[in-house]
Amino acid sequence: MMPFVYQALPSRVIFGAGALDGLAEEVWRLGSRALVLCTPEQRHVAEEAARRLGDRAVGVYDRAVMHVPIDTARAAREEVSRLGADCCVAVGGGSTVGLGKAIALEYGLPIIAVPTTYAGSEMTPIWGLTEAGQKRTGRDPSALPPTVIYDPTLTLTLPPGLSATSGMNAIAHCVEALYAVDGNPIASLMAEEGIRALGRSLPRIVEEPKDLEARSEALYGAWLGGAVLGAVGMALHHKLCHTLGGSFNLPHAETHTIVLPHAARYNESQAPEAMARVARALGKPGDAPGALWDLAEMATASPYPNPRPVERDAVRALLEEALTGRRP
Ligand code: NAD
């Protein structure tokens, strides 16, 4: 076995349906005046979290947006000062957790993350801030949420399409961890298990978004994806998505979904062991990039009812005909 370094990151994880019930107790371990963060769309979930905190919640701040624009971070930091908050609860996806990290970086306040997507940011010390169209990222131990509450019931409302792409985002962390330059056997174990859990659960979620068992398995896979993203360095796939997303303001999870099978094919010949593990985890030995493509295709296929099966090439021809205005 090759020598390796494994750096564990300190975080306390509470996992399970109904885990949000323990929020007040978890806040109490870290502070007594919590500002609850969320996006405008998830305000009702954040309000429910604040209600559970009673007078330990000093407010709900619902301005989180993708890629943490610097003005949003500054406004949130001012709100923290104005209300005298001593910790934050970030209820939402990577955008909301990212806003919490921007506050933690400035003030050193602890963040209790309550993830509702599969992005995995809650398990990493990686922060991002966007200023004048440029996204800067870095690693700082103070950005790592000390406590993470994974409650799968909060993910039941994540629409099937976003569930699938967000899940592929988590799989991308796992795939790149398997050939990371600083990879190690522990991270690889977690990565393979993460791919297995997500590969099994995502198609079930697209079929039945309220399947709590599948939701639990996907969130477990997402946790593992976040853990390896925080533990080892990523490679070409993440670089491409970061560059494309930043340059063209593309949606994060969708970009990962589209690029991943092709990045895997690009690296396949130089990372045979990693690819064998990806393929094994997806139950399709021999063709990891193809298996990733099939999973993305299956998971993102819209179940919209239609008399004729919706076929890729035929729909492309339909759109071309419509674009040119030809008589059908
Ligand atoms: P997001 O947080 O932007 O959420 C997408 C949308 O889904 C939002 O409108 C949100 O309100 C909604 N939503 C979230 N959970 C929901 C639920 N359960 N039900 C219904 N709606 C829900 O998307 P994301 O993909 O989680 O995060 C993307 C951002 O996170 C990007 O900025 C990316 O760079 C960052 N990110 C950072 C890291 C890191 O380690 N720093 C890791 C992964 C992603």
Side-chain angles (χ1 to χ4, degrees):
M1 185 182 279
M2 299 277 284
F4 63 89
V5 174
Y6 176 68
Q7 172 75 53
L9 295 175
S11 70
R12 173 178 160 84
V13 172
I14 293 98
F15 190 102
L20 190 66
D21 291 344
L23 178 64
E25 204 181 312
E26 293 305 323
V27 163
W28 198 236
R29 296 167 66 96
L30 298 167
S32 56
R33 297 181 58 78
L35 179 62
V36 183
L37 310 171
C38 61
T39 59
E41 301 84 41
Q42 289 188 285
R43 186 168 176 106
H44 60 291
V45 192
E47 277 174 353
E48 173 55 28
R51 196 187 59 74
R52 285 160 193 245
L53 292 178
D55 57 11
R56 279 177 221 165
V58 293
V60 171
Y61 189 77
D62 69 0
R63 307 279 164 79
V65 286
M66 188 123 77
H67 302 317
V68 199
I70 188 75
D71 290 344
T72 308
R74 285 190 184 127
R77 288 165 179 164
E78 274 168 26
E79 193 68 353
V80 163
S81 299
R82 189 180 71 80
L83 294 168
D86 62 6
C87 63
C88 290
V89 176
V91 183
S95 300
T96 305
V97 174
L99 181 60
K101 288 177 168 183
I103 295 168
L105 268 181
E106 184 81 1
Y107 294 140
L109 292 195
I111 305 299
I112 294 134
V114 185
T116 62
T117 70
Y118 307 131
S121 176
E122 66 281 355
M123 293 308 294
T124 84
I126 305 166
W127 55 267
L129 276 171
T130 304
E131 190 165 11
Q134 291 284 321
K135 186 166 178 179
R136 285 182 298 125
T137 61
R139 279 180 185 256
D140 191 305
S142 66
L144 180 73
T147 302
V148 181
I149 298 179
Y150 285 110
D151 187 338
T153 63
L154 300 178
T155 63
L156 293 174
T157 50
L158 194 64
L162 189 48
S163 301
T165 54
S166 190
M168 290 303 295
N169 184 195
I171 289 181
H173 308 329
C174 298
V175 170
E176 294 234 295
L178 286 169
Y179 52 65
V181 65
D182 54 352
N184 61 70
I186 310 304
S188 293
L189 268 181
M190 293 196 279
E192 188 174 339
E193 172 69 356
I195 297 171
R196 188 173 294 115
L198 287 154
R200 256 194 321 241
S201 54
L202 293 181
R204 285 165 59 201
I205 288 171
V206 171
E207 189 123 336
E208 178 42 63
K210 304 281 183 210
D211 181 337
L212 186 59
E213 205 40 52
R215 287 292 190 179
S216 302
E217 192 170 21
L219 200 55
Y220 164 67
W223 165 16
L224 295 172
V228 296
L229 174 67
V232 299
M234 297 286 110
L236 177 71
H237 168 78
H238 279 74
K239 184 74 187 163
L240 284 176
C241 293
H242 188 97
T243 309
L244 285 169
S247 308
F248 305 110
N249 197 24
L250 300 179
H252 181 78
E254 285 88 334
T255 309
H256 275 270
T257 306
I258 292 166
V259 174
L260 182 63
H262 306 285
R265 182 68 82 203
Y266 185 87
N267 281 328
E268 188 181 21
S269 62
Q270 304 300 311
E273 199 191 318
M275 291 304 154
R277 294 184 79 155
V278 174
R280 185 169 68 195
L282 293 175
K284 291 196 176 168
D287 184 15
L292 288 167
W293 195 89
D294 290 346
L295 178 64
E297 185 76 353
M298 181 179 17
T300 54
S302 167
Y304 211 82
N306 197 62
R308 177 179 163 186
V310 179
E311 292 149 1
R312 175 181 291 266
D313 291 344
V315 171
R316 186 185 295 268
L318 175 159
L319 291 173
E320 277 166 9
E321 299 272 305
L323 186 67
T324 53
R326 218 170 296 144
R327 193 165 189 264

